[in-house]
Amino acid sequence: MNRIRLLPEQVANQIAAGEVIERPASVVKELVENSLDAQAARVTVEIQAGGRSLVRVVDDGLGMSRDDALLCLERHATSKIRRAEDLAAIATMGFRGEALPSIASVSRFTLTTRERASDSPEGTQVLIGGGKILEVKAAGSAPGTTVEVRQLFFNLPARRKFLRTEATESAHIQHYLTLAALAYPEVAFTFQRDGRLIWQLPAVKTGSDVATRLTALRERLRALYGAEQKLLTVDYSAEMLSPDDLEDPTATPSSTLNPQPSTPFRLWGFIGSPGVSRSTREDQHLFVNRRPVENRGLNFALLEGYHTALMKGRYPVCCLFLEIDPAAVDVNIHPAKREVRFHREAEVRRLVAQAIRQALLAFHTGKPESGSTKATARGPSSAAVEPAAGKPDQPTEQSALPNFPAALSPAPAPPAKPAAQQPTLRMGFSPTPLTSGPTANRQSPISSPALPTPAPDATDATHVTPVTPPSPSGPVPLLKVPLRLVGVIGRLYVVLESDRGLVLLDQHAAHERILFEQMLNRLEQHDQAPSQRLLLPETVELAARDASFLREQLPALTRLGVGLSEFGERTFLLDALPPFVKAPDARRFVLELVDELKAAGRELNSLRLGEHTVAKTVCRHAVKANDPLAGRELENLVEDLRHCAMPYTCPHGRPTLIEMNFRELEKKFGRTQ
Ligand code: ADP
Ligand code: MG
């Protein structure tokens, strides 16, 4: 007896819907992607009850003929690919031909569409209930497509039960729309929730070159978030090896389409400056060929790139666009197309980390690394409004040059570059640029009657409010401007004054950063960091697992001045430490090293990371001078900090310096608002 049967179309669609349509946000995603693929210039999204009772997406894109309007509701019907080979290089958002029939099978669905290219003023309307076509009729409509999805999962009660609160579902929708809006600044987006206008994002002029697109992205960020944020510009290009078929035996023969040995790799966008981070990945927006993606490798690469500029357990804030040969990335590994796989994952990861590192270094050193890697920064959200152009509220940086003590003056490097031509930088802790030159005019905030509301989650909004664009030419970074010593408070915080305002320095954080870099420099030059024999060597016994782990790290530890050697099965002898380290409790010190190394090994993989982790941990044990340092010592501290590659954070990513400029002070004292 034959027991196998082909499933009815409707059931097959519902099964597909189970994968593609998880929740109302998936409906919004699929419909908006279709609008974008149809070259819409304006997309309007309306939802009711978190998208459960209604999702409506209206676009002014290409539209469809009557035949296409019917065909698009069939499973595996798509205009975007034709052959299997096309899967190797997908340039559209959609390609699976599954979304519309899936959505239509689990909702009450109306498609209204009119072909842009046709002369007829008449469009087509198709009504579907739970996958069954109820009616097809002619309907007058503007060119473009409107899809209305009501009562999602009405015929799948189990599914409906899994939906979360309206607020949560709305938040998911808004999150996706944010991604779409960031990827397509040239498209105007309107978002309405329960009859309330949430966003009205005007279309931003953009072009094909990265400079123009950065400007457009910056403007879109500002329209989306309104608030100010300290961001650095990333623009990094490299050559990458072509996707290699040998790596993946199932890959389609892409190398034949792509005979050259290398393909371009480009990463551009904005990242938070040191000190800007979040406790979740929520403000981490990553796109691959304009598609918002999740990819563990990219997440790691970001952390790797930030390295010591990010606190443990914190995540970067970024909006980054990775552009690579579509043949070098597989987008067909997830039904909702959320994840991607790179054919050369390790290389992508390395290049992304490098791009981030370069942007951070450029920021720290205060000069653009290459012609295209710029770094600028802006302050927190409290200063959403730019200072009016020409407002004479601040003394200029240059005017105070002669006043500061020689010992604290900046290194011979020219401190005051002509701001007009050279993109100068500022450090990331102060809100608004004080330079009210020609740039201030250009940066008037977008004032729209319906400014976006921030994302509903504000768990740690105090630390970081959503991103906003930096100025094209930020002011001079803090350590490049003259600083005058005022005093020390709490035996820890050094109070300094610049011509921009107040500066506080965390003595310990600064000390750790300096030691960390000196240690690594020594290592680089002499292959051995300084070490001092202990008068009383100590033995440390560890658990078997920790012991075997530590055994592998011994060479790196020795190179960094931590004299540890095997002294039995699970016992080690600690007989030397870097001169500035005092470890009264040897066992705790060693255990901490083991823990940190293990944690780092899980999170990241980088050749030099082991050394960096050791150095970081060792520096934490640096002798802490609790007596207030005297003037000369303090001057040396600032001077040493100036010479660091990444002076603005300690090796654990905490800030070393905080700046409060006159504007902020005036605000706090109610002199301005
Ligand atoms: P896919 O996007 O993977 O091709 P879909 O089921 O989402 O599959 O859509 C099927 C087809 O319907 C698309 O390939 C496209 O030709 C057409 N289509 C869907 N939405 C729109 C739209 N908003 N405007 C124009 N054409 C559309
Ligand atoms: Mg689609």
Side-chain angles (χ1 to χ4, degrees):
M1 192 177 84
N2 296 340
R3 284 177 300 141
I4 302 179
R5 254 171 298 244
L6 274 176
L7 288 173
E9 174 88 2
Q10 221 175 313
V11 180
N13 282 336
Q14 283 191 8
I15 292 172
E19 290 190 306
V20 183
I21 307 302
E22 251 174 286
R23 57 187 349 151
S26 338
V27 173
V28 172
K29 174 175 189 285
E30 294 295 339
L31 297 182
V32 170
E33 282 187 1
N34 281 346
S35 299
L36 295 170
D37 282 343
Q39 295 157 34
R42 167 173 293 281
V43 176
T44 302
V45 178
E46 280 173 69
I47 62 164
Q48 269 168 27
R52 289 152 157 259
S53 44
L54 172 73
V55 169
R56 183 189 288 127
V57 175
V58 183
D59 71 49
D60 61 352
L62 297 172
M64 284 178 270
S65 67
R66 185 188 165 97
D67 286 351
D68 276 357
L70 287 168
L71 194 58
C72 77
L73 297 160
E74 301 277 340
R75 199 137 172 254
H76 306 309
T78 179
S79 55
K80 299 168 194 176
I81 58 170
R82 283 169 194 276
R83 303 162 303 166
E85 292 89 286
D86 297 343
L87 277 175
I90 287 162
T92 49
M93 291 283 168
F95 56 88
R96 298 170 63 101
E98 274 185 324
L100 292 184
S102 299
I103 298 168
S105 74
V106 294
S107 67
R108 303 190 197 282
F109 182 99
T110 312
L111 166 72
T112 312
T113 187
R114 184 179 136 197
E115 214 177 353
R116 201 200 269 168
S118 135
D119 296 330
S120 161
E122 203 168 79
T124 309
Q125 189 168 65
V126 187
L127 274 73
I128 300 182
K132 282 202 244 0
I133 296 196
L134 304 175
E135 200 182 344
V136 183
K137 59 181 179 190
S141 79
T145 302
T146 298
V147 177
E148 220 174 76
V149 177
R150 291 184 185 272
Q151 289 171 284
L152 184 66
F153 300 140
F154 79 96
N155 51 352
L156 294 179
R159 214 50 207 267
R160 211 174 156 79
K161 256 190 237 140
F162 272 103
L163 294 181
R164 310 288 294 278
T165 62
E166 285 182 18
T168 305
E169 297 299 341
S170 300
H172 281 285
I173 291 171
Q174 192 158 336
H175 179 71
Y176 168 71
L177 286 176
T178 306
L179 294 169
L182 290 173
Y184 288 80
E186 72 271 33
V187 176
F189 282 89
T190 305
F191 178 38
Q192 273 180 314
R193 191 174 63 205
D194 299 313
R196 222 183 102 212
L197 182 62
I198 306 292
W199 287 343
Q200 195 153 40
L201 306 174
V204 180
K205 260 210 201 77
T206 180
S208 51
D209 60 310
V210 167
T212 321
R213 289 169 70 189
L214 274 167
T215 312
L217 176 60
R218 187 183 295 143
E219 196 160 330
R220 178 49 60 90
L221 279 166
R222 194 177 303 152
L224 261 174
Y225 289 109
E228 298 272 325
Q229 184 61 274
K230 301 159 277 182
L231 293 176
L232 311 181
T233 306
V234 175
D235 184 4
Y236 178 88
S237 331
E239 283 294 313
M240 203 176 98
L241 289 173
S242 280
D244 185 357
D245 294 337
L246 292 177
E247 253 185 15
D248 177 5
T250 62
T252 42
S254 50
S255 58
T256 53
L257 298 171
N258 193 26
Q260 68 269 47
S262 71
T263 71
F265 167 104
R266 189 145 192 179
L267 188 75
W268 61 273
F270 299 102
I271 60 170
S273 51
V276 177
S277 66
R278 287 206 64 169
S279 61
T280 66
R281 293 194 192 277
E282 201 160 327
D283 273 334
Q284 181 179 307
H285 306 303
L286 292 172
F287 302 80
V288 173
N289 294 340
R290 261 195 171 187
R291 183 189 300 280
V293 297
E294 282 163 29
N295 178 277
R296 277 169 58 85
L298 288 182
N299 291 343
F300 286 143
L302 270 180
L303 295 183
E304 240 171 272
Y306 265 91
H307 195 28
T308 58
L310 197 69
M311 265 184 267
K312 202 167 165 184
R314 306 284 306 184
Y315 297 98
V317 169
C318 68
C319 181
L320 287 171
F321 289 82
L322 173 59
E323 276 163 23
I324 55 173
D325 181 354
V329 52
D330 189 355
V331 293
N332 190 23
I333 61 163
H334 188 279
K337 299 163 289 184
R338 206 165 47 213
E339 291 172 22
V340 295
R341 190 158 46 209
F342 297 105
H343 294 310
R344 296 189 160 274
E345 156 124 12
E347 199 182 354
V348 168
R349 210 167 135 168
R350 184 178 61 77
L351 291 172
V352 169
Q354 174 63 16
I356 303 296
R357 199 158 28 236
Q358 215 177 75
L360 289 167
L361 275 174
F363 167 68
H364 279 296
T365 53
K367 53 173 174 273
E369 188 83 350
S370 70
S372 56
T373 309
K374 289 188 220 93
T376 45
R378 281 291 216 47
S381 61
S382 54
V385 179
E386 296 282 342
K391 186 168 171 253
D393 53 357
Q394 254 47 243
T396 63
E397 277 131 24
Q398 291 88 334
S399 66
L401 269 171
N403 298 342
F404 57 90
L408 282 179
S409 57
K417 297 167 190 157
Q421 310 141 337
Q422 196 126 8
T424 49
L425 309 153
R426 80 195 271 104
M427 72 164 298
F429 301 102
S430 76
T432 34
L434 301 174
T435 44
S436 40
T439 50
N441 282 323
R442 262 187 275 131
Q443 291 164 6
S444 61
I446 290 177
S447 53
S448 137
L451 269 183
T453 51
D457 170 9
T459 42
D460 63 348
T462 45
H463 194 87
V464 155
T465 27
V467 278
T468 10
S471 64
S473 65
V476 182
L478 185 52
L479 282 169
K480 299 280 171 198
V481 303
L483 295 171
R484 282 176 297 276
L485 183 60
V486 179
V488 179
I489 53 172
R491 304 170 142 246
L492 175 61
Y493 302 109
V494 182
V495 184
L496 301 150
E497 177 196 14
S498 81
D499 290 326
R500 306 204 294 237
L502 172 72
V503 178
L504 291 171
L505 178 145
D506 179 327
Q507 205 173 292
H508 290 165
H511 195 207
E512 272 187 48
R513 163 57 67 183
I514 293 163
L515 288 175
F516 175 74
E517 293 203 4
Q518 284 176 351
M519 208 163 158
L520 293 179
N521 284 344
R522 273 285 293 260
L523 195 63
E524 213 149 82
Q525 285 156 17
H526 308 286
D527 215 37
Q528 169 68 50
S531 181
Q532 205 167 50
R533 296 229 144 249
L534 296 182
L535 284 178
L536 298 169
E538 284 193 64
T539 54
V540 179
E541 195 177 330
L542 297 178
R545 243 185 352 174
D546 286 346
S548 67
F549 177 82
L550 188 62
R551 211 165 285 132
E552 284 165 31
Q553 315 292 332
L554 289 181
L557 287 166
T558 311
R559 268 154 52 76
L560 281 151
V562 179
L564 261 177
S565 49
E566 289 184 67
F567 199 70
E569 187 84 358
R570 288 158 38 196
T571 312
F572 295 84
L573 184 75
L574 179 67
D575 63 2
L577 282 172
F580 54 84
V581 173
K582 211 162 124 198
D585 185 344
R587 190 181 140 75
R588 243 193 67 204
F589 174 75
V590 173
L591 275 179
E592 193 179 326
L593 269 179
V594 169
D595 283 349
E596 300 246 348
L597 280 167
K598 273 187 173 168
R602 263 199 305 276
E603 266 176 35
L604 308 155
N605 75 6
S606 142
L607 268 179
R608 300 183 53 202
L609 204 81
E611 284 170 1
H612 286 200
T613 308
V614 175
K616 249 157 80 170
T617 312
V618 169
C619 289
R620 186 182 276 165
H621 288 263
V623 191
K624 305 225 155 115
N626 259 341
D627 301 321
L629 292 181
R632 189 72 221 173
E633 291 165 300
L634 280 175
E635 283 165 13
N636 289 342
L637 189 73
V638 176
E639 204 42 44
D640 286 347
L641 197 60
R642 280 194 216 272
H643 287 107
C644 285
M646 296 232 187
Y648 298 107
T649 58
C650 83
H652 305 94
R654 285 186 295 271
T656 52
L657 290 150
I658 290 175
E659 185 178 23
M660 192 181 287
N661 65 27
F662 287 119
R663 230 184 108 69
E664 284 167 285
L665 288 173
E666 278 169 13
K667 230 163 126 179
K668 285 212 183 332
F669 283 112
R671 289 172 177 274
T672 59
Q673 35 193 315

